[in-house]
């Protein structure tokens, strides 16, 4: 006696497409060998997949309803002949490909549900093992850079069966992560709390809150991207979206970043610009450096440099950029006639 695929899925013979999918979802999760360690789980998992493959396909279901399991194999004797069963005027035979995990992967969008789909390991761990490669993309276990995100891929069944294409992955969910220059200078850890929809092991949907840990390395550039694969909402038939955080420089009251250099603007009077002065330049490390400009005339275009007081290089934290000092020369609002006369007499005429 052949298999009763309706009984295997626990549905009536009049079940519609949605009821077939719902039954398969529930039973596939229940009997998946990665979760269910009973001795019969593997066989039940395979039977559930086989039943779904047949009843979810209109042509296979029609043939099964008419002739049973033997009809799918073309073994009908006088009814179907030796060349297979007739459906729609054509000979047709079907044999289950034997890979229930391929069926599962096509349905859920992943072949590894309890490592990445149900978030029970796999994508945790250290996410930041590799340095910034200069393009702003981060690799490492669980990341693979942005190249890890897969749009579509195939699962191959047994020989003689057609490849199955995975569902499309949702577009990445991108968020800006603002980091202070002080944190970029020494590195820091940021914890980001997310809320997403997931599908439980029983097939029910529910909300989950999760904390993602981002280790910001010293010197990371603005635009550096950190990707958490498949941490978006879980939906049937689609691969969850990647969550991507982009490093952004938090505005600083004193400094502005230029790659690994730090730009600082010193305000000085016109008198100091012409006669020379000594200024103190702050740093991200909290120290101050005296800059002796008593023998200099400072112009609006003047740039001074203090070496090694900038940000670390992303690939070599023993090297640092510089502090670049620009000058904002404060002109007086007005001058008395006597002051003008003195300046007129002292300063040379333009050429």
């Amino acid at each position: 006696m052949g298999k009763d695929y309706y009984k295997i899925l626990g549905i009536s013979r009049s079940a519609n497409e949605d009821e077939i999918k719902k039954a398969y979802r529930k039973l596939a999760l229940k009997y998946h060998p990665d979760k269910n360690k009973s001795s019969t789980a593997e066989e039940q998992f395979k039977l559930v997949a086989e039943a779904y493959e047949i009843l979810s396909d209109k042509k296979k279901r029609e043939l099964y309803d008419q002739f049973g399991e033997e009809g799918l194999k073309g073994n009908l004797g006088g009814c179907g002949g030796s060349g297979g069963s007739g459906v729609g005027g054509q000979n047709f035979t079907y044999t289950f490909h034997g890979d229930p995990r391929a069926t599962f992967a096509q349905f859920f969008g992943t072949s590894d549900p309890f490592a990445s789909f149900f978030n029970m390991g796999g994508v945790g761990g250290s996410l930041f093992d590799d340095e910034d490669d200069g393009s702003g993309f981060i690799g490492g276990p669980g990341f693979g850079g942005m190249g890890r995100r897969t749009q579509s891929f195939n699962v191959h069944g047994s020989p003689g069966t057609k490849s199955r294409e995975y569902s499309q992955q949702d577009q990445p969910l991108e968020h800006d992560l603002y980091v202070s220059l002080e944190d970029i200078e020494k590195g820091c850890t940021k914890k980001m709390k997310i809320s997403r929809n997931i599908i439980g092991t029983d097939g029910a949907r529910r909300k989950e809150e999760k904390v993602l840990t981002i280790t910001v390395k010293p010197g990371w550039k603005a635009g550096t991207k950190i990707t958490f694969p498949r941490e978006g909402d879980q939906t049937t038939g689609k691969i969850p979206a990647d969550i991507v955080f982009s490093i952004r420089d938090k505005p600083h009251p004193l400094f502005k970043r230029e790659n690994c250099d730090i730009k600082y603007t010193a305000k000085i009077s016109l008198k100091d610009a012409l006669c020379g002065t000594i200024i103190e330049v702050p740093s991200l490390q909290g120290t101050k450096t005296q800059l002796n400009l008593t023998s200099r005339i400072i112009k609006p275009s003047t740039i001074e440099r203090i070496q090694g007081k900038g940000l670390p290089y992303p690939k070599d934290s023993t090297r640092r950029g510089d502090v670049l000092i620009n000058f904002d020369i404060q002109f007086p609002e007005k001058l008395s006639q006597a002051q003008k006369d003195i300046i007129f007499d002292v300063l040379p005429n333009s050429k």
Side-chain angles (χ1 to χ4, degrees):
M1 186 175 178
K3 299 184 185 80
D4 186 341
Y5 293 125
Y6 290 101
K7 186 176 181 180
I8 290 170
L9 290 183
I11 56 177
S12 69
R13 298 185 74 87
S14 61
N16 59 30
E17 183 179 351
D18 286 341
E19 289 171 329
I20 293 170
K21 287 182 177 179
K22 184 177 180 180
Y24 172 72
R25 180 188 301 112
K26 180 180 178 181
L27 294 173
L29 292 170
K30 177 180 179 181
Y31 291 116
H32 196 292
D34 288 356
K35 173 179 179 289
N36 193 323
K37 302 303 181 182
S38 69
S39 58
T40 60
E42 187 81 43
E43 182 61 27
Q44 288 294 327
F45 185 59
K46 185 176 180 180
L47 285 173
V48 166
E50 183 177 349
Y52 174 74
E53 289 273 354
I54 292 165
L55 298 184
S56 64
D57 183 282
K58 185 177 180 181
K59 180 187 287 188
K60 298 187 188 79
R61 184 179 182 182
E62 179 184 342
L63 186 59
Y64 174 73
D65 285 346
Q66 290 183 46
F67 305 110
E69 183 186 4
E70 292 301 309
L72 292 167
K73 299 176 181 178
N75 299 330
L76 295 180
C79 295
S82 60
S85 307
V87 178
Q90 297 180 352
N91 289 334
F92 179 85
T93 61
Y94 171 78
T95 303
F96 180 55
H97 53 71
D99 187 358
R101 290 179 182 268
T103 304
F104 187 98
Q106 183 186 26
F107 186 90
F108 287 100
T110 176
S111 59
D112 194 7
F114 305 105
S116 58
F117 188 72
F118 292 119
N119 189 36
M120 294 175 69
V123 296
S126 175
L127 302 176
F128 308 96
D129 287 349
D130 295 338
E131 292 285 353
D132 182 359
D133 62 3
S135 64
F137 292 91
I138 305 302
F143 272 20
M146 283 293 288
R148 173 90 183 267
R149 186 171 66 83
T150 305
Q151 291 292 340
S152 62
F153 45 96
N154 291 325
V155 174
H156 299 281
S158 57
T161 62
K162 291 184 178 180
S163 298
R164 288 179 164 74
E165 190 177 72
Y166 274 58
S167 302
Q168 289 289 317
Q169 183 177 23
D170 287 332
Q171 289 298 308
L173 304 172
E174 299 199 13
H175 304 274
D176 289 336
L177 177 61
Y178 284 88
V179 184
S180 70
L181 292 180
E182 284 83 0
D183 284 342
I184 291 290
E185 192 266 336
K186 57 190 175 184
C188 66
T189 298
K190 299 287 186 181
K191 294 186 181 294
M192 307 299 292
K193 189 175 185 180
I194 64 168
S195 177
R196 63 175 186 163
N197 294 313
I198 67 167
I199 301 175
T201 54
D202 58 355
R205 298 178 185 277
R206 61 183 176 85
K207 281 279 188 183
E208 177 192 64
E209 289 190 343
K210 185 175 183 180
V211 175
L212 303 179
T213 301
I214 301 172
T215 302
V216 179
K217 291 188 174 181
W220 266 7
K221 299 176 183 177
T224 297
K225 293 182 184 292
I226 306 98
T227 301
F228 292 85
R230 302 183 180 185
E231 291 288 0
D233 288 338
Q234 295 173 357
T235 55
T236 301
K238 276 194 173 184
I239 301 171
D242 296 343
I243 294 182
V244 182
F245 292 97
S246 297
I247 298 295
R248 296 284 181 257
D249 290 336
K250 186 181 290 185
H252 197 281
L254 296 178
F255 304 111
K256 188 174 181 181
R257 181 181 189 176
E258 191 172 273
N259 295 321
C260 292
D261 294 333
I262 295 295
K263 296 176 72 173
Y264 171 73
T265 299
K267 290 184 178 182
I268 61 173
S269 66
L270 178 60
K271 175 183 174 182
D272 288 340
L274 295 174
C275 301
T277 185
I278 296 175
I279 64 171
E280 285 191 335
V281 180
S283 71
L284 289 172
Q285 297 81 23
T287 59
K288 291 185 177 181
T289 301
Q290 277 199 348
L291 201 59
N292 190 334
L293 303 171
T294 53
S295 61
R296 301 280 303 278
I297 291 178
I298 301 169
K299 303 174 183 178
S301 60
T302 298
I303 298 176
E304 294 291 324
R305 181 183 296 268
I306 301 175
Q307 294 185 339
K309 291 292 185 179
L311 292 170
Y313 280 65
K315 290 186 178 181
D316 183 2
S317 59
T318 62
R319 299 176 59 203
R320 288 180 174 270
D322 302 332
V323 175
L324 307 178
I325 301 100
N326 297 297
F327 295 91
D328 179 10
I329 300 172
Q330 307 289 299
F331 283 73
E333 293 293 331
K334 60 182 181 178
L335 293 173
S336 66
Q337 187 58 49
Q339 290 171 323
K340 291 179 183 179
D341 291 340
I342 293 172
I343 293 173
F344 185 82
D345 290 338
V346 171
L347 294 180
N349 294 324
S350 58
K351 296 179 181 178

